[in-house]
Amino acid sequence: MNPTPGKINDSFSDFNSEDAPQQQKQKKKKSSTQLPQPGTTQGSCAFDSAMITLVPITDAAHVVHGPSGCAASIWGSYSSLSSGSMLYKIRFSSDIDENDIIFGGAKKLYKGILELARRYKPAAVFVYSTCITALIGDDIEGVCKNATEKTGIPTIPVHCPGFIGNQNLGNRVAGEAMLEHVIGTAEPNTSTPDDINLIGEHNIAGAIWNVLPLLEKLGIRVLAKITGDAIYKEVCYAHRAKLNVLLSSKALINMAKSMEKKYGIPYIEESIYGIESINQCLRNIAAKLDNPDLQERTEKLIVEETAAIDEKLSLYITRLQGKRMILSIGSFKSWLIIFAAKKLGIEVIAISTKNNTEEDKIRLKSLLGQDGIILEQNSSEEILQIINENQADMLIADKRHQDASLTARIAFLDINQERNHPYAGYIGILEVARELYAAFYNPVWEQVCQLAPWEVGVEEAGNSQQEEI
Amino acid sequence: MAIISVTSTSVAVNPLKQSQTVGAVLAFMGLKGIMPLLHGSQGCTALTKKVLVQHFRQTIPLSSTAMTEVATILGGEERVEQAILTLVQRSKPEIIGLCSTGLVETRGDDMGRFVKEIRHRRPELDYLPIVLVSTPDFKGTLQDGFAGAVESIIREIPQKGSKQDPCPTQITILASSAFTPGDVQEIKEIVTSFGLVPIVVPDLSGVLDGYIEDSSSAITANGTTLAQLRSIGSSVFTLALGDSMRGGAQILEQRFNIPYEVFGELTGLTAVDKFLQALADISGVSVPDKYRRQRRQLQHVMLENHFYFGCKRVSLALEPDLLWSTVSFLRSLGVEIHSAVTTTRFPLLEKLPIKSVTIGDLEDFEQLAVGSDLLITNSHGVAIAQRLKIPLYRQGIPIFDQLDHGQFTKVGYRGTMQLLFDIGNLFLEQETKVKH
């Protein structure tokens, strides 16, 4: 079996030792590093998330070294968009079979890389190990080294067998692979004092395209997008940026920390979901780049953009004001919805704080106000009860609670639909408003609440009978 | 007679085949009160679930033994036991469907022994059937996993009661992965109209309206019940739908001496005729008027619309059972099979009435399909269809960019008409495009 690369264990310790005063706080968030329990876990594995992180490098070939099932199952589930190469959409697999398990699959992998390099001419090749090939001990480091020498195309090993842990670990492994093999291997043609990297936004549904024009207007150059609509070359010269901006997720925070240590690039954690968030994100970037002129331009842009959005939102506000909603989503997206609700005059009556940190929970409670309800179990039964007791008009949750809304016959929005709708940036809130409006005012609700004409008769008869008794 | 060729590339590009686990879990979904459990890393479960959720657009109950690095070194027996106990406590399943994965099969976990020893240690689980099926990702495909699960179910659950009298109207139907929930619904309707009482294994028609309250503690709400499964020994006949169900039917023949017949396809006039005649023979009831009428309708539709099909060239990339059924249907309308790609070796492939079949991936399909008039494969074929500028008709698993696949029906006279219209419309659209 391949040992788990030592660095990953190191990065665990890094995570705590670097922030000694914060250690207490980190401990509370430690659920991410807890070992999964049999019969209870729902999450995905390191392999899956390592691929989510790296596949948005669009001009690279991504090879799964393992059974083709691993490659087939993850195919088509992420709508990370590309403005150029479509190579990343192709799924390569060494298609390990029983024979390879007995005799080793390294040779097949090597031949496979040479073959796809010849046929597809990728900018780089990423090789992902899986449970099986890690277990039989295939030396993918060696194969990648040989393949790089033979083809001249950088070939990068990613040690991500699913059994090493959960998604967070996979993100880190992907970050380590980039740090070790990609970042710092090339130099950009030019450099400006306002060069930044955007980290951790995979351009799902084109989210990043809602933000890039804003940065461009401000004269900020995005050197590398790690990763989302990225090309291999730009990741190579990411070490020349002046600032790392971590977007919407902590997935690659270790990478940002390492880059700070190694290349002296400071990082900030920002969100691009919701108007307040994007305002703050732009302000913080300008402040961190320490450019007074840029800060001034940023304020001007914020005023312009918010005014433009306010005008477009007015129609939605008149239709949505005063509605009551329940929110059961355990991620950063809840902030987006809360801010959107505020803007639109929608009242959030209950919220789930699952997966949120203590700090977030306090903030959520304060936003909800006195009458706000915190969902304790986050089960469908609990949600149903709250809907009935509070005359809620809408439920926003992930798909597994859809049935609760159908039972209660109230409008429902599957928040994970963000895979198809870009909610990011200023324009993002319009998208949210449009979806809320579409959900509230859909005539199907009225129809599905109606009894069939023959059922109406039966029910009345039944009632009158009861009355007689 | 088809020549089977296997492509000799070292790298699979755009794999067509899905893991066996996907098939096994799909089969388990058709049993009521089941909780499928994968023995492997949690990713195996999440990814298997992802494919099925994409396809059916609804919650799929599925659990994992969540193998960690340490457990992978030391062995997973404890984790299997712990998972079963946790599930029993939390979700109260009536059956547990236990699947292996590539990880634990490579490790060499002897799961048969695990289950035996867990049973020995935990007599309180005696009431709970645990159906074990071997589903490593590194061999076989969705169809094999599905068939393997069905075989395990009928080897494990039906009882050999000595006093059991055969029930003259009860028949067992084994429906392969080539049939959608809508298909199973239609088959049940047809069979019931002959006065027969079908026990369908697995009964996916329940998956359509499966109401699942909470995925963390959910079990299937519909499907074949445990009581039905136990009474299979009293059936008088087994209808194996899809050649991959032959093995299952043979098990029932060996265990209970129940005769069987295999129907490779239930689409197309001749195929449905044969099926209805078989039902009439088993039940002694003549074919109901409803189907006589539908048959005349279908004949009419075939006569009226065959112009659009004659000599059209179609390329298919499907699992063996579905490939067989679709090829038979298309050939019955005069369509030429331009190329055919499938996932795995299968006895029936040689008998396909076409020149050659390739066992390969979607890259092979893309190369072979050049010059055809229509492509038939799953949703992963969309990009290929765009590149080749050939229309795509979606069949197989997963289909995630179309809404009706769960209810879609291609069997019986009515289903045949539906398929004929769907494909015929695509041809017609192409023809009118040229005219404009």
Side-chain angles (χ1 to χ4, degrees):
Chain A
M1 189 193 302
N2 264 345
T4 311
K7 289 169 219 94
I8 293 156
N9 292 329
D10 287 350
S11 54
F12 273 127
S13 50
D14 270 2
F15 205 58
N16 288 335
S17 63
E18 263 179 29
D19 310 282
Q22 279 188 7
Q23 213 161 14
Q24 217 41 34
K25 213 164 70 188
Q26 296 291 359
K27 259 188 189 153
K28 277 178 196 155
K29 291 190 214 165
K30 254 202 140 171
S31 64
S32 61
T33 56
Q34 252 169 24
L35 289 178
Q37 289 306 308
T40 58
T41 44
Q42 295 285 333
S44 193
C45 63
F47 161 75
D48 187 23
S49 57
M51 287 209 79
I52 293 174
T53 306
L54 293 173
V55 164
I57 301 178
T58 55
D59 55 353
H62 300 272
V63 187
V64 176
H65 184 39
S68 70
C70 288
S73 308
I74 58 156
W75 190 12
S77 34
Y78 316 113
S79 40
S80 170
L81 300 186
S82 166
S83 53
S85 175
M86 294 307 272
L87 186 62
Y88 74 120
K89 290 272 184 197
I90 298 176
R91 285 288 161 271
F92 297 99
S93 166
S94 55
D95 195 7
I96 289 299
D97 59 23
E98 263 179 311
N99 217 31
D100 303 317
I101 289 175
I102 298 164
F103 297 106
K107 255 190 198 157
K108 190 178 186 187
L109 172 66
Y110 180 66
K111 272 172 71 184
I113 296 171
L114 297 193
E115 197 176 318
L116 76 89
R118 179 172 52 82
R119 293 213 315 254
Y120 289 88
K121 305 207 169 22
V125 180
F126 285 85
V127 178
Y128 303 83
S129 66
T130 56
C131 292
I132 289 169
T133 52
L135 202 54
I136 61 173
D138 280 352
D139 174 20
I140 68 165
E141 292 269 353
V143 169
C144 288
K145 204 164 157 259
N146 293 343
T148 308
E149 279 164 18
K150 178 91 181 172
T151 58
I153 296 170
T155 304
I156 297 114
V158 187
H159 298 282
C160 55
F163 60 70
I164 62 168
N166 60 11
Q167 284 149 300
N168 288 21
L169 200 51
N171 293 325
R172 285 185 209 172
V173 171
E176 298 289 347
M178 281 190 279
L179 279 170
E180 193 182 350
H181 299 281
V182 188
I183 294 171
T185 58
E187 295 295 332
N189 293 334
T190 54
S191 187
T192 78
D194 294 335
D195 282 353
I196 64 166
N197 295 326
L198 297 180
I199 298 180
E201 176 52 67
H202 304 320
N203 201 32
I204 307 293
I208 221 164
W209 295 334
N210 283 2
V211 179
L212 290 179
L214 301 170
L215 297 171
E216 201 177 326
K217 268 186 208 167
L218 294 172
I220 297 169
R221 187 169 76 148
V222 176
L223 201 58
K225 303 175 281 307
I226 304 174
T227 63
D229 192 17
I231 56 168
Y232 181 73
K233 199 84 187 263
E234 72 181 53
V235 185
C236 292
Y237 51 62
H239 63 299
R240 290 296 175 220
K242 305 295 183 296
L243 178 67
N244 275 333
V245 183
L246 269 165
L247 294 178
S248 313
S249 102
K250 280 193 165 19
L252 285 172
I253 190 154
N254 270 42
M255 190 172 136
K257 282 184 178 170
S258 299
M259 285 177 82
E260 187 170 33
K261 223 191 233 170
K262 201 167 168 190
Y263 303 108
I265 307 172
Y267 71 91
I268 50 174
E269 293 175 54
E270 299 297 334
S271 169
I272 48 174
Y273 290 90
I275 291 179
E276 276 78 358
S277 303
I278 185 82
N279 284 348
Q280 201 187 346
C281 171
L282 295 177
R283 279 191 186 118
N284 290 350
I285 292 173
K288 266 286 183 194
L289 288 173
D290 203 19
N291 178 342
D293 177 47
L294 176 63
Q295 279 166 301
E296 204 172 293
R297 276 181 284 137
T298 306
E299 292 305 328
K300 223 178 114 200
L301 180 80
I302 288 173
V303 172
E304 278 170 25
E305 293 286 338
T306 30
I309 285 295
D310 280 347
E311 198 191 319
K312 287 180 187 147
L313 277 179
S314 58
L315 175 76
Y316 293 108
I317 293 172
T318 51
R319 303 301 301 271
L320 293 172
Q321 225 162 19
K323 302 281 182 195
R324 296 157 67 81
M325 67 157 80
I326 297 174
L327 202 56
S328 164
I329 36 176
S331 69
F332 68 90
K333 277 168 264 160
S334 53
W335 300 112
L336 164 71
I337 299 291
I338 291 171
F339 286 129
K342 233 177 160 184
K343 194 104 199 166
L344 295 163
I346 297 171
E347 192 184 343
V348 181
I349 52 172
I351 197 163
S352 150
T353 54
K354 213 180 151 196
N355 298 343
N356 279 303
T357 58
E358 291 300 317
E359 194 185 333
D360 285 345
K361 279 180 192 172
I362 296 166
R363 205 170 141 210
L364 281 172
K365 277 177 193 162
S366 72
L367 272 170
L368 269 185
Q370 270 195 332
D371 302 330
I373 303 162
I374 301 290
L375 296 170
E376 297 292 343
Q377 301 148 8
N378 206 24
S379 66
S380 290
E381 292 82 357
E382 192 193 8
I383 290 174
L384 204 53
Q385 196 190 342
I386 291 171
I387 293 173
N388 291 334
E389 284 169 8
N390 297 278
Q391 288 107 43
D393 300 299
M394 179 175 218
L395 172 65
I396 301 186
D398 56 22
K399 207 163 177 90
R400 75 198 169 101
H401 292 313
Q402 183 172 322
D403 292 335
S405 90
L406 293 179
T407 310
R409 303 281 200 266
I410 66 164
F412 176 79
L413 181 64
D414 175 6
I415 193 62
N416 282 322
Q417 282 295 328
E418 118 277 354
R419 299 219 177 283
N420 300 324
H421 302 275
Y423 290 160
Y426 292 103
I427 317 163
I429 193 161
L430 271 181
E431 193 75 33
V432 178
R434 195 174 299 131
E435 289 215 25
L436 290 172
Y437 174 78
F440 272 121
Y441 287 97
N442 198 306
V444 299
W445 293 109
E446 208 173 304
Q447 293 168 68
V448 295
C449 290
Q450 267 168 14
L451 290 169
W454 52 91
E455 285 171 331
V456 176
V458 172
E459 197 151 89
E460 276 167 8
N463 285 343
S464 58
Q465 262 178 1
Q466 264 178 355
E467 277 163 25
E468 275 166 29
I469 292 161
Chain B
M1 293 300 110
I3 299 163
I4 300 171
S5 60
V6 182
T7 47
S8 62
T9 51
S10 317
V11 59
V13 183
N14 294 340
L16 172 65
K17 65 179 168 192
Q18 298 281 340
S19 279
Q20 282 207 66
T21 50
V22 179
V25 173
L26 175 60
F28 284 143
M29 288 298 295
L31 307 193
K32 184 174 179 293
I34 198 167
M35 173 56 87
L37 170 64
L38 299 195
H39 181 31
S41 87
Q42 50 176 345
C44 300
T45 302
L47 296 180
T48 300
K49 194 169 181 158
K50 200 179 271 175
V51 177
L52 292 170
V53 168
Q54 265 185 349
H55 184 74
F56 286 107
R57 293 170 186 272
Q58 75 178 49
T59 326
I60 303 286
L62 183 57
S63 195
S64 169
T65 61
M67 288 289 276
T68 58
E69 192 162 18
V70 174
T72 304
I73 297 164
L74 300 178
E77 184 170 355
E78 251 175 54
R79 298 189 85 80
V80 177
E81 181 168 345
Q82 207 184 328
I84 292 175
L85 293 176
T86 310
L87 291 174
V88 166
Q89 196 198 351
R90 287 196 173 194
S91 330
K92 301 184 179 55
E94 290 164 47
I95 314 172
I96 284 188
L98 180 58
C99 308
S100 67
T101 59
L103 169 63
V104 299
E105 295 258 357
T106 306
R107 226 201 76 79
D109 278 359
D110 180 354
M111 294 184 56
R113 186 177 59 80
F114 285 8
V115 173
K116 222 183 230 167
E117 287 179 5
I118 292 169
R119 285 237 181 263
H120 185 69
R121 277 195 300 271
R122 303 279 175 185
E124 69 264 31
L125 295 180
D126 278 354
Y127 75 94
L128 180 73
I130 298 174
V131 179
L132 175 64
V133 49
S134 164
T135 48
D137 323 71
F138 51 75
K139 66 176 187 188
T141 164
L142 186 149
Q143 181 179 301
D144 298 312
F146 190 97
V150 171
E151 286 172 23
S152 293
I153 292 164
I154 53 183
R155 207 179 280 129
E156 183 77 22
I157 301 176
Q159 287 166 343
K160 256 188 185 162
S162 53
K163 278 181 263 168
Q164 259 176 353
D165 292 323
C167 172
T169 54
Q170 180 184 307
I171 59 164
T172 308
I173 296 178
L174 307 178
S176 91
S177 57
F179 298 96
T180 66
D183 289 338
V184 174
Q185 184 65 40
E186 178 76 11
I187 291 163
K188 271 164 78 178
E189 266 171 46
I190 293 174
V191 171
T192 317
S193 71
F194 282 85
L196 295 166
V197 181
I199 296 181
V200 188
V201 185
D203 188 353
L204 286 176
S205 67
V207 169
L208 281 177
D209 43 23
Y211 178 82
I212 292 152
E213 287 177 18
D214 186 347
S215 71
S216 62
S217 65
I219 47 175
T220 48
N222 287 298
T224 331
T225 64
L226 207 49
Q228 283 179 321
L229 286 173
R230 290 206 170 111
S231 72
I232 277 178
S234 331
S235 292
V236 289
F237 203 84
T238 306
L239 298 172
L241 311 182
D243 208 67
S244 62
M245 292 293 110
R246 187 181 293 273
Q250 281 166 348
I251 292 172
L252 288 178
E253 189 189 36
Q254 280 158 14
R255 288 190 65 193
F256 305 107
N257 213 6
I258 301 171
Y260 71 89
E261 188 169 354
V262 180
F263 295 85
E265 72 276 359
L266 294 181
T267 310
L269 185 73
T270 321
V272 183
D273 283 355
K274 197 177 138 225
F275 184 62
L276 293 191
Q277 185 58 49
L279 291 176
D281 291 345
I282 295 165
S283 64
V285 173
S286 65
V287 174
D289 286 343
K290 181 180 168 189
Y291 296 111
R292 290 168 190 254
R293 186 167 174 275
Q294 280 185 12
R295 186 175 194 274
R296 283 192 297 275
Q297 264 183 323
L298 174 59
Q299 281 177 318
H300 195 69
V301 165
M302 284 166 76
L303 275 174
E304 265 184 350
N305 300 296
H306 71 276
F307 324 106
Y308 308 116
F309 289 83
C311 292
K312 285 280 169 16
R313 288 154 303 163
V314 175
S315 292
L316 310 95
L318 298 168
E319 291 250 61
D321 267 351
L322 192 54
L323 180 71
W324 173 272
S325 150
T326 317
V327 164
S328 307
F329 166 71
L330 291 172
R331 297 249 318 160
S332 76
L333 290 167
V335 170
E336 276 177 27
I337 305 302
H338 185 76
S339 61
V341 176
T342 192
T343 50
T344 184
R345 281 190 181 280
F346 195 63
L348 215 56
L349 292 179
E350 287 168 11
K351 294 184 191 147
L352 272 168
I354 54 181
K355 274 192 222 121
S356 73
V357 189
T358 304
I359 295 174
D361 51 37
L362 286 174
E363 187 194 48
D364 301 319
F365 179 61
E366 186 163 352
Q367 286 161 4
L368 292 166
V370 174
S372 47
D373 298 304
L374 180 72
L375 309 180
I376 302 183
T377 188
N378 62 29
S379 286
H380 292 312
V382 171
I384 295 172
Q386 281 168 356
R387 284 195 286 268
L388 298 182
K389 297 189 174 61
I390 299 171
L392 171 73
Y393 185 65
R394 291 166 187 78
Q395 284 284 291
I397 295 173
I399 295 177
F400 47 76
D401 56 348
Q402 224 168 38
L403 290 179
D404 63 339
H405 201 74
Q407 308 223 19
F408 166 78
T409 308
K410 62 181 177 298
V411 298
Y413 295 126
R414 224 169 38 162
T416 303
M417 273 187 271
Q418 186 60 53
L419 194 64
L420 189 153
F421 288 139
D422 284 355
I423 294 178
N425 280 334
L426 288 171
F427 287 141
L428 185 60
E429 201 181 328
Q430 287 306 104
E431 282 183 18
T432 33
K433 250 185 208 162
V434 177
K435 275 182 200 159
H436 281 290

